[in-house]
Amino acid sequence: MRKMELHWKILIGMVLGLVFGFVMTYPDWGREFVSDWIKPWGTIFVKLLKLIAIPLILASLIKGISDLKDISKFKRIGLRTIGIYVFTTVVAITIGLLLVNVLQPGNGISEDTVAKLSETYASDSGVTSKLDEALKQKESGPLQFLEDMVPDNAVKAMSENALMLQVIFFTIFMGISMLLIGEERARPLKQLFDALNEVVLKMVDLIMLTAPYAVFALLANVVASSGDSDLLVALLKYAGVVVLGLFLMIVFYAILVSTYTQKNPFWFLKEISPAQLLAFSTSSSAATLPVTMERVEEHIGVDKEVSSFVLPVGATINMDGTSLYQGVAAVFAMQVLWPEGLVFSNQIIIVLTALLASIGSAAVPGAGMVMLVIVLESIGFPPNLYPIALALIFAVDRPLDMCRTIVNVTGDATVSMVVAKSVGKLGEPHPKEWDDHLEEVISK
Ligand code: ASP
């Protein structure tokens, strides 16, 4: 019998999780049951993925760079990656702004709804903690991001997933130095990292065996812990605009893939779909990164020299879905709360700050909402309305976060294909299974 493909298994897990979570909102004990007995399985899965992120970046980036043979190629890959990331992000924000201005989701929101939403959420700890975080980020100077990228302690950098850019910096530095000491001398170290890389990719395969069950737990928990659904209905038009924009981004990626790399876009979307489904279930492109890397390298055929750099960098700085959402959310907040701010110059400012904000957003759930405050601040949005603006979009933030994370991950995968094609590093897929070498370690 043909084995069922992974994305179908994950999809079935997701649907069952949604249904189960929904059913559990009925009995009095349901929500607590999900939180005590179901949620931990999802959390363990996300932890396992995060656990291997740093070793994977380290091993694969060192392997990627030390395979290069020619350092100037790395410069080419680097510059192209950053250039294309900026391009796709600007496209995303522009699509978001066009849609929100044409469809005007803010117009249907009554004062009553605003009052109800701000009553429910303005002093909610979710909103206030996001505001606090945003204020902290705001205090930093313009070159802070460069300063933050350089670690003063390699081990400390590797001890925290949020410091991914520091790990990338250290690894590139080390990889280039390995090239400079010559192949012969670097060989033992290279072999070590090559083996580590294979081991970590095998760990991804093993973790993915549990993905269909884990997404069940993750989604059951999202549904069972969600709040009042009446208010969701009021925000349906706004959410619809964001989702439509995100969908158009996926279409844009498909066009990019088919025109530039000449690959079938449906094949691309099918091969990357397990990563997309995990992005949706975890709302975190950082947690999804190991799976994105595995899919792009083994199932799409992007060479490690490209993917090992483009994908980890993309997970931290390229967030097309997040920037599109920021454009829509900022204008939506203006339409409802501050219509006098709706001038063309503010929309241009939104393009620039949403671009920077998406670079600065962490690849974790809800990060986009924190950076939204920075976007609002740049256009002179009245600070006393910040909590109300956040309250306005808070109710639908989680589902939208899940959707925009799909776009964040798909964008990274697309750019890795485009960059790979441009430097002649887009080859044939070579998928590996978790049990490829099983017979070697099991006695008959
Ligand atoms: N959750 C998103 C990510 O990890 C970031 C965000 O938009 O909040 O990619």
Side-chain angles (χ1 to χ4, degrees), residues 50-263:
K50 289 185 173 168
L51 168 72
I52 54 172
I54 299 279
L56 181 59
I57 294 174
L58 196 71
S60 84
L61 195 50
I62 293 222
K63 176 164 168 45
I65 295 179
S66 53
D67 279 347
L68 271 178
K69 307 217 163 59
D70 172 9
I71 305 183
S72 65
K73 209 192 260 167
F74 186 65
K75 196 172 119 198
R76 224 179 317 143
I77 293 175
L79 288 179
R80 276 183 203 174
T81 304
I82 306 292
I84 303 174
Y85 275 157
V86 171
F87 167 67
T88 56
T89 308
V90 171
V91 169
I93 307 170
T94 313
I95 290 181
L97 287 181
L98 281 176
L99 288 180
V100 71
N101 281 298
V102 172
L103 300 175
Q104 306 260 347
N107 281 355
I109 305 280
S110 67
E111 279 183 19
D112 241 20
T113 314
V114 177
K116 229 193 268 161
L117 282 165
S118 46
E119 198 182 297
T120 321
Y121 296 113
S123 49
D124 184 286
S125 61
V127 167
T128 47
S129 71
K130 293 215 153 53
L131 272 173
D132 287 348
E133 246 179 88
L135 290 178
K136 252 186 256 149
Q137 300 225 12
K138 229 173 56 183
E139 278 157 20
S140 47
L143 289 186
Q144 186 67 37
F145 77 101
L146 273 184
E147 221 179 293
D148 290 345
M149 221 184 278
V150 184
D152 58 1
N153 183 325
V155 178
K156 203 164 107 199
M158 284 177 226
S159 73
E160 205 171 321
N161 284 346
L163 299 177
M164 205 127 82
L165 280 181
Q166 294 197 351
V167 178
I168 295 172
F169 178 89
F170 171 74
T171 312
I172 293 176
F173 198 9
M174 186 162 156
I176 290 179
S177 305
M178 273 169 70
L179 279 179
L180 290 175
I181 63 170
E183 216 177 321
E184 189 58 34
R185 266 175 296 256
R187 183 164 303 136
L189 202 53
K190 184 166 160 23
Q191 281 172 340
L192 173 79
F193 282 112
D194 283 1
L196 178 62
N197 183 51
E198 280 219 30
V199 171
V200 183
L201 282 174
K202 191 58 65 193
M203 291 167 95
V204 178
D205 289 341
L206 291 175
I207 296 171
M208 284 306 277
L209 290 178
T210 66
Y213 310 99
V215 293
F216 173 89
L218 287 165
L219 288 189
N221 181 54
V222 168
V223 177
S225 58
S226 65
D228 187 352
S229 55
D230 288 353
L231 290 173
L232 291 185
V233 178
L235 297 174
L236 226 47
K237 195 167 170 200
Y238 155 72
V241 172
V242 176
V243 172
L244 175 63
L246 295 174
F247 174 75
L248 291 179
M249 271 318 279
I250 301 281
V251 175
F252 168 69
Y253 297 139
I255 294 174
L256 214 58
V257 164
S258 79
T259 51
Y260 193 77
T261 69
Q262 266 95 48
K263 296 269 184 193

Side-chain angles (χ1 to χ4, degrees), residues 330 334 338 346-347 349-350 353 374-381:
M334 285 203 273
W338 189 52
N346 273 346
Q347 313 248 358
I349 298 178
I350 292 177
T353 43
I374 313 235
V375 175
L376 289 178
E377 203 225 351
S378 70
I379 49 176
F381 196 86

